Amino acid sequence: MHTVKHNYTTMPKPLSCAGSINTRGLRFSRAMVFAIEQINNSTELLPGIKLGYEIYDSCSSVSVAVNVAFQLSGGLDPVFNTGDKCSQSGMVMGVVGASGSTRSISMSHIIGPFNIPQVSYFATCACLSDKQQYPSFFRTIPSDQFQADALAKLVKHFGWTWIGAVRADSDYGNNGMASFLHAARKEGICVEYSESFYRTHPRSRIQRVADVIRRSTAKVVVAFISTADMKILLEELSRKPSPPRQWIGSEAWVTDPDMLRFSFCAGAIGFGIEKSVIPGLRDFLLDLSPSKVADSPLLTMFWEEAFNCRLVKSEATDRSVCDGTEDIKTLQSSYTDTSQLRITNMAYKAVYAIAHAIHNAVCQKTDSTTQCDKFTKLEAKEVLNQLKKVNFSQNGYDVSFDANGDPVATYELVNWQRNESGSIELVTVGKYDSSLPVGQEFLINRNLTWVEGGTQVPVSVCTDSCPSGTRKVLQKGKPICCYDCTPCPEGEISNATDSFDCFPCPKEFWPNAERDTCLPKPVEFLSFNEPLGIVLAAFSIGGACLTIITAAVFYRHRSSPIVRANNSELSFLLLFSLTLCFLCSLTFIGAPSEWSCMLRHTAFGITFVLCMSCVLGKTIVVLTAFKATLPGSNLMKWFGPSQQRLTVVSFTFIQVLICTIWLVLSPPFPMKNLTTYKERIILECALGSALGFWAVLGYIGLLAVFCFVLAVLARKLPNTFNEAKLITFSMLIFCAVWITFIPAYVSSPGKFTVAVEIFAILASSFGLITCIFAPKCFIILFKPEKNTKKHLMSRGL
């Protein structure tokens, strides 16, 4: 490849086109000229205003297109002045083109910031619908996104699940094929291979693509390729016999009459832009003479190539000079063929779209006449805004643009069929209209012929269908459509055959054994009907009954020395709080509700603080009672019954305040836990505010530690006051239970979290009643001889 080097001291040579002229493209440009002349002669559209134009050949080159875009964005020279007062002759009001997607993208990036509207008639890349990147881009041809969807539905319609894919390595091919493959995957279609190439690639690359097609097991090939690239590929395939293939083509090549010469592609099907009729166009195209042709370099090149002669004698060629007998009406070429006007109509409509936008900007209709101010200072941005609103009909074809600058997508389904003479012709066999409801867009109204002239739809599959409850899994080292049917993973189902994916059930559902449907998950909570709930409820009620029995024993012997010596008022209050502690654990059993969630934590917190307050009061009484026996001490008057009651109420009130704040700001609430177990739902109470919960526990722990410290300080007092030893031991049990509770609570799953909390409540409650009251009850009931004042004063408990 020759690399051009610039020394930046002289202007580089202007870009020029190489190769022969594209006669089909020439027809497009001539159709634009025809449209402009129609508009200039119209008394309804832009009356009194003449449109000027300048035509550039992009030479199918991005660099040339970019060069043109820079010229357009800078304004044109006033070449249109012919003596008339032509306003704004250097202003570009709109651009028609470019024909290809890559060139249109390059141009749009340059002229877009200048708000110059660009209307393409052949750029189909779906990427150009992005108004963030291409705000001034419009097109009269549908986006490839619509064609890709239509092609995927077409392949699915005929039951092909095993196909090959070939694309041009360009914006058109890459983006179009990406859209198709995405749509194909949604339709359950598998792709054996996806190859790309470009016309400028070395022949070895194109040979490799051709060999892939020959060796493949897929009988259907989808080709998203431009005409120029497709010609190169088919020429390569024609050099060496290839197994028959069913070709599915994009509109860029499948409707090109020049492609019909590849007879081994007979039976090819694809979508094409609707055929149209443009009255007067053929006469305009054929209205050429040597004198008219000589005024245009493009027409001169076309004329000389078509008739193999030179209009002007030149020594640089061996062609003879044209003698004037050449008749274009006898010429058979894409330029003169107007039987299949498809893209030509797109170019024709593009010109009219810009004209209507200018008309709406500078013309006003008064009564039955239309007045246009040709001296209005018109900006390209105003034309751009009006172009978004155009909605008209030309030759029976509607023209309008959606928010993305795209028209309504309608296609003809075309089929390459052999006629009676054996030649291949393009036959319309159906239609696709994207504006119709889903499932009704696609219509086939004529018999198709297939590869090798067959009348039966060819089969292209790799593996039999997978039943519901399974999914397709690729076999290692084999193509994508050769798969194993693997059962869906845990928690997922497939309810259709040939499913590529298994789908997770909704959060509250779980698959059945066959994994082809979702069933509601069983709901789990700590119930009164299950063994664990029954056992915990039994211990709770049993503990409450034991506490009541203890209180009855104490009340029955309330006048006995051992009861009176241990502060009977605090003892009865402690027994009452322990009864509530046992009973509050019942609120943790059963289905959580809004009220039970708030009650269980607050009731537990308040009753335990009441319990701890009583134990703390008893500990302080023990200490003050001993100090009061010392000479000169009057402590007992400072911690008498009133002070003891006030201490209990004060400590309990603080917990009530904490619980109230918790309930007001972020109370506990019932929730469905869907994360602990995948296959079932755990009903539980969310804490609402974790800070509130741990504040409640922390306050209980603080009182317990304080009580424990005081009890330890009082443990060596004389035996007369040895209740401090019992309190110390009970606090050891209490603290041990709740310290072990924290990690167990955090790590226990589901309903066992609740069970751990109940166990901690019951264990600590049983520890308190056992350590503090069991020894006294034993003496009262079984050692009455020790329940005397003399014995208490001499030996203690």
Side-chain angles (χ1 to χ4, degrees):
M1 181 181 291
H2 177 67
T3 303
V4 178
K5 294 183 179 180
H6 299 289
N7 57 17
Y8 302 100
T9 58
T10 59
M11 290 290 292
K13 293 181 180 180
L15 296 170
S16 60
C17 301
S20 60
I21 192 168
N22 184 331
T23 55
R24 191 182 181 211
L26 179 61
R27 186 179 74 216
F28 300 158
S29 64
R30 291 286 290 165
M32 295 182 205
V33 175
F34 174 71
I36 292 172
E37 291 190 4
Q38 276 190 330
I39 294 166
N40 287 342
N41 294 327
S42 172
T43 58
E44 296 181 359
L45 184 61
L46 292 174
I49 292 180
K50 302 293 184 182
L51 296 179
Y53 65 90
E54 197 167 315
I55 296 177
Y56 294 86
D57 186 0
S58 69
C59 308
S60 298
S61 168
V62 172
S63 57
V64 176
V66 168
N67 184 44
V68 170
F70 276 117
Q71 293 183 52
L72 297 176
S73 60
L76 297 174
D77 293 331
V79 297
F80 307 118
N81 269 329
T82 58
D84 297 331
K85 291 184 178 179
C86 182
S87 65
Q88 305 175 8
S89 59
M91 298 287 292
V92 178
M93 294 295 106
V95 176
V96 176
S99 59
S101 296
T102 302
R103 297 185 295 280
S104 290
I105 289 170
S106 301
M107 292 186 66
S108 186
H109 280 308
I110 295 169
I111 66 176
F114 295 95
N115 295 311
I116 300 174
Q118 176 185 0
V119 185
S120 177
Y121 54 90
F122 210 5
T124 56
C125 179
C127 57
L128 286 162
S129 296
D130 185 355
K131 291 298 101 179
Q132 294 293 324
Q133 295 192 59
Y134 313 103
S136 65
F137 182 83
F138 300 81
R139 52 183 155 200
T140 51
I141 191 170
S143 161
D144 280 334
Q145 183 63 56
F146 299 105
Q147 184 180 190
D149 292 340
L151 285 171
K153 291 177 182 177
L154 178 69
V155 173
K156 180 67 173 180
H157 177 80
F158 293 114
W160 299 319
T161 58
W162 184 225
I163 65 170
V166 183
R167 69 186 186 277
D169 192 7
S170 62
D171 289 302
Y172 169 72
N174 291 329
N175 286 282
M177 184 56 73
S179 298
F180 168 75
L181 293 178
H182 178 71
R185 278 192 293 269
K186 292 196 295 184
E187 297 290 349
I189 300 163
C190 302
V191 179
E192 181 184 5
Y193 59 87
S194 179
E195 295 292 329
S196 67
F197 71 96
Y198 195 62
R199 68 193 74 146
T200 58
H201 286 165
R203 188 186 168 196
S204 59
R205 171 72 175 270
I206 298 165
Q207 284 178 325
R208 187 182 67 80
V209 175
D211 289 338
V212 169
I213 295 172
R214 292 188 184 104
R215 292 195 305 265
S216 68
T217 58
K219 295 181 180 179
V220 176
V221 183
V222 176
F224 229 106
I225 303 179
S226 63
T227 299
D229 296 310
M230 192 63 181
K231 281 181 182 177
I232 295 173
L233 177 61
L234 294 182
E235 286 171 355
E236 183 61 40
L237 285 170
S238 65
R239 289 190 176 97
K240 182 180 177 181
S242 175
R245 293 288 180 259
Q246 176 62 54
W247 289 91
I248 311 296
S250 61
E251 47 79 26
W253 70 269
V254 81
T255 58
D256 189 342
D258 287 346
M259 301 298 294
L260 297 176
R261 61 188 173 89
F262 296 100
S263 58
F264 63 89
C265 290
I269 58 175
F271 289 101
I273 303 303
E274 287 185 298
K275 285 188 296 186
S276 58
V277 176
I278 304 177
L281 176 62
R282 178 171 175 79
D283 293 336
F284 178 81
L285 294 176
L286 299 180
D287 185 20
L288 288 180
S289 63
S291 59
K292 291 183 179 180
V293 168
D295 293 334
S296 168
L298 280 177
L299 291 177
T300 300
M301 184 185 298
F302 161 68
W303 191 273
E304 292 178 344
E305 286 187 6
F307 297 107
N308 194 27
C309 64
R310 297 288 291 180
L311 286 173
V312 179
K313 187 175 181 179
S314 173
E315 296 179 357
T317 179
D318 56 358
R319 290 177 180 174
S320 60
V321 178
C322 301
D323 58 10
T325 61
E326 298 80 16
D327 187 0
I328 194 171
K329 295 179 182 178
T330 63
L331 187 65
Q332 298 294 323
S333 74
S334 296
Y335 175 80
T336 59
D337 183 9
T338 57
S339 61
Q340 298 269 351
L341 294 180
R342 300 177 188 274
I343 307 304
T344 305
N345 190 40
M346 300 296 105
Y348 181 76
K349 292 195 295 186
V351 174
Y352 267 92
I354 294 178
H356 275 272
I358 297 174
H359 179 93
N360 295 337
V362 301
C363 300
Q364 291 183 345
K365 188 170 184 178
T366 58
D367 298 330
S368 59
T369 62
T370 301
Q371 298 293 330
C372 300
D373 185 0
K374 63 182 180 181
F375 297 107
T376 300
K377 184 174 177 56
L378 184 61
E379 298 288 341
K381 186 174 183 180
E382 178 62 22
V383 179
L384 174 64
N385 293 332
Q386 292 297 332
L387 197 56
K388 298 174 183 178
K389 307 172 188 176
V390 295
N391 190 347
F392 63 94
S393 181
Q394 186 68 27
N395 290 342
Y397 303 102
D398 294 331
V399 180
S400 63
F401 303 104
D402 63 15
N404 296 322
D406 293 324
V408 174
T410 56
Y411 296 101
E412 286 181 356
L413 179 63
V414 297
N415 184 209
W416 289 17
Q417 298 184 2
R418 289 190 184 274
N419 56 24
E420 295 178 356
S421 64
S423 61
I424 300 176
E425 61 182 4
L426 208 58
V427 178
T428 300
V429 293
K431 186 179 180 181
Y432 178 85
D433 189 343
S434 65
S435 64
L436 296 177
V438 176
Q440 302 178 24
E441 318 101 317
F442 193 60
L443 174 66
I444 297 178
N445 52 22
R446 188 169 174 175
N447 291 332
L448 286 81
T449 60
W450 305 101
V451 60
E452 295 186 313
T455 56
Q456 296 295 321
V457 179
V459 177
S460 187
V461 296
C462 183
T463 306
D464 291 334
S465 298
C466 285
S468 57
T470 64
R471 64 185 176 95
K472 294 180 179 180
V473 177
L474 298 181
Q475 296 175 357
K476 188 175 181 180
K478 292 188 178 181
I480 191 172
C481 235
C482 299
Y483 44 79
D484 294 319
C485 298
T486 303
C488 290
E490 184 182 64
E492 297 185 4
I493 67 162
S494 66
N495 54 8
T497 58
D498 284 336
S499 177
F500 280 104
D501 297 302
C502 294
F503 304 98
C505 288
K507 289 185 177 181
E508 298 187 14
F509 289 81
W510 194 251
N512 60 350
E514 292 76 21
R515 298 186 180 179
D516 59 3
T517 188
C518 292
L519 301 175
K521 288 182 181 180
V523 177
E524 181 181 280
F525 56 90
L526 187 59
S527 169
F528 285 104
N529 299 323
E530 62 179 297
L532 181 60
I534 293 172
V535 170
L536 292 175
F539 272 97
S540 177
I541 296 173
C545 292
L546 180 63
T547 308
I548 293 172
I549 292 171
T550 302
V553 171
F554 263 56
Y555 183 77
R556 174 72 176 79
H557 300 86
R558 62 186 179 279
S559 59
S560 63
I562 197 167
V563 174
R564 297 180 63 189
N566 284 280
N567 197 324
S568 58
E569 184 175 344
L570 284 179
S571 295
F572 283 116
L573 188 57
L574 176 58
L575 288 170
F576 172 72
S577 63
L578 282 173
T579 304
L580 295 180
C581 288
F582 280 116
L583 293 178
C584 79
S585 62
L586 294 175
T587 62
F588 289 82
I589 306 175
S593 65
E594 187 174 347
W595 285 104
S596 69
C597 285
M598 291 190 292
L599 178 63
R600 63 174 58 172
H601 288 101
T602 53
F604 150 72
I606 294 171
T607 54
F608 257 83
V609 165
L610 179 60
C611 183
M612 286 295 100
S613 300
C614 293
V615 173
L616 185 60
K618 290 173 71 66
T619 307
I620 295 174
V621 167
V622 171
L623 285 172
T624 55
F626 173 75
K627 296 294 183 181
T629 59
L630 298 178
S633 176
N634 58 352
L635 280 176
M636 285 307 295
K637 75 174 183 177
W638 294 107
F639 201 74
S642 299
Q643 287 79 8
Q644 294 169 22
R645 297 187 198 102
L646 182 60
T647 300
V648 171
V649 171
S650 299
F651 283 131
T652 305
F653 176 75
I654 294 174
Q655 184 74 310
V656 171
L657 186 62
I658 294 173
C659 290
T660 302
I661 295 173
W662 181 16
L663 292 180
V664 169
L665 297 181
S666 182
F669 59 90
M671 66 167 287
K672 294 179 179 180
N673 184 340
L674 303 173
T675 57
T676 303
Y677 296 106
K678 296 179 180 178
E679 71 281 0
R680 60 183 185 270
I681 299 173
I682 305 297
L683 290 183
E684 61 185 21
C685 287
L687 296 177
S689 170
L691 180 62
F693 174 73
W694 293 111
V696 168
L697 281 186
Y699 184 62
I700 296 173
L702 180 65
L703 291 182
V705 170
F706 186 40
C707 184
F708 174 74
V709 171
L710 292 180
V712 169
L713 293 176
R715 71 188 187 283
K716 294 184 179 180
L717 294 179
N719 285 345
T720 305
F721 306 101
N722 67 356
E723 189 179 30
K725 296 179 181 179
L726 302 179
I727 293 174
T728 302
F729 193 56
S730 67
M731 287 299 101
L732 279 173
I733 295 175
F734 185 91
C735 293
V737 167
W738 286 100
I739 289 173
T740 55
F741 159 77
I742 293 174
Y745 178 83
V746 172
S747 60
S748 297
K751 64 182 179 181
F752 296 104
T753 304
V754 179
V756 166
E757 195 166 358
I758 295 174
F759 176 80
I761 293 172
L762 295 178
S764 54
S765 299
F766 274 112
L768 286 172
I769 193 170
T770 301
C771 293
I772 295 178
F773 293 99
K776 300 179 179 63
C777 289
F778 179 78
I779 292 174
I780 291 172
L781 297 176
F782 301 108
K783 298 289 184 177
E785 67 276 8
K786 293 184 179 181
N787 191 9
T788 61
K789 186 175 181 181
K790 180 181 178 181
H791 186 271
L792 289 176
M793 295 299 293
S794 61
R795 297 181 61 86
L797 290 176

